[in-house]
Amino acid sequence: MSGVSFLRRVSLHGFRGRSKSGVPQPETEKPPFKTAPIIPETQTVLLLHAARQPYELTENYPVSDLRDDHEVLVQTRAIGLNPVDWKAPELAGEVIKRRSSSRLKVLVISTDYRDLRKSAFQHYVVALDYNTVRLPPSISHEEGSTLGVAFVAAALSLGVCMGLDFSSVLDGPDIYSLIRQLPPDALAPDVRDECLNALPSQERAQPGDWLAVWGGSSTSANLTIQLARLAGLRTIAVADTAKHGVRLSNHRSTRPDLLVDSHDPARAVAVIRANAARNGGRGVRFAIDTRGKDSAGWLARALARDYDAEKNDGTKDKETNPAAAAGAPPSPPGTPDSDDEDSDDSDGGRPGDRPARPILPPDAHLIGLTGLPKEPAPAGVVYHTVPIKVFHEVPAVGRALVEWLERLLARGLVAPADIIDVERGLESVNRGLDRMRRGEISGGKLVVRVD
């Protein structure tokens, strides 16, 4: 769209320098301001003038005004570039303007992509107070910038699409129930069905259930596995074990119950189905994909009720297996055809009684963070997309999540993602994004320090 300028949106975070070994080191805490800081009228930003073009460093761009009492102005200190989706950076910084004049180190989680004032690629960012997380002294700006959007995506995937209740973890939110207490028009029409109708209450995830995450080395997977484990789920991470196996197996916060190599997807599906069924009996009913449509398709096969490992397409031959075509499991040998009106039931009922239909197991649920499979869902599988906008459009949801994240960070129950490298200055953002496009950043975050 030539001639139109865009600002990239981000969450707030920070980091300072490296040790002699090359590992990025957290910045030291700055003393709080006792007087209100001076806010300039203009700033430096990155502007995107056309699709598929690099950002342009632009000076003398106006600093945005606050429009209501829920907004705060944050000075950007660090930007976290997402190695899974380079289009979604996040940032951390310090609140410099709000109803009081104190200065706070915060993580800004901006999921409102339409409001350019909330773009991360600028020195001064507008944020909503119910989308802003106070960072404890133990978390640097750089570490904070690895958390935001990934945390929200993980919490909404688990809490809305899977119905997982976090109330047992530091009094976390039951988002599934919270949303149902709101008037329906509080939810945007394009996410209302996902929020209210996509998951029956009897199919909500419960402690002990299995969750498979494809792309287990990503930042989104990192937060998803951490939150799932805290709430009592058993986790399966599918990842490149040659690159990430040792780190994932030994990581205190994100170590899965089962680590599966993604090199052979068909084999990975077989391992998921065999091990989950063996260790718990119910198999896998929930899966989250962080990679794309192809890997999401393999997860759909792992969840399918009737999976033909030889055909690798999640279905049996529908010409010889009409029950599968109808979405029901095949009848066991000797069971009369349910369409035979004159058959007797197996319990000696009256002649002509219709035999009981087989009781279907609960549906399985697949959440795609970066896309869903191209093919229709297999029998017994429901596809979900994350209703990310409820975080910034529904204050009750946003506030519940950020207050819970503050408690998790203060108690050390959630750990930031690993920082792979640190770039410096807004002018280095294009270089960082190029590194991600080339696949140079894997298993952690690339952070841009903004000073």
Side-chain angles (χ1 to χ4, degrees), residues 23 26 30 45 94 153 160 204 222 271 350 364 404 421:
V23 178
K30 296 181 180 179
V45 303
E94 295 173 347
V160 176
R204 297 181 64 178
N222 179 307
V271 172
R350 293 173 301 172
W404 184 44
D421 202 358

Side-chain angles (χ1 to χ4, degrees), residues 223-301:
L223 270 296
T224 297
I225 291 173
Q226 290 191 65
L227 298 183
R229 290 182 61 195
L230 289 172
L233 297 188
R234 290 180 286 184
T235 58
I236 301 171
V238 185
D240 184 340
T241 58
K243 294 175 64 176
H244 307 294
V246 172
R247 180 177 61 85
L248 291 175
S249 297
N250 295 316
H251 200 289
R252 178 179 64 86
S253 300
T254 61
R255 182 175 60 249
D257 294 283
L258 177 63
L259 179 60
V260 179
D261 191 3
S262 62
H263 178 70
D264 183 342
R267 177 62 177 165
V269 169
V271 172
I272 291 171
R273 293 177 67 90
N275 281 271
R278 184 181 303 121
N279 296 282
R282 290 182 292 178
V284 178
R285 285 203 306 119
F286 300 98
I288 296 177
D289 177 77
T290 73
R291 303 294 295 173
K293 294 181 179 180
D294 290 342
S295 52
W298 287 109
L299 272 181
R301 296 172 174 89

Side-chain angles (χ1 to χ4, degrees), residues 390-412:
V390 300
F391 177 70
H392 64 264
E393 290 190 355
V394 183
V397 173
R399 185 172 292 108
L401 287 177
V402 300
E403 291 178 353
W404 184 44
L405 180 55
E406 289 179 356
R407 297 193 294 273
L408 292 172
L409 292 174
R411 292 284 297 273

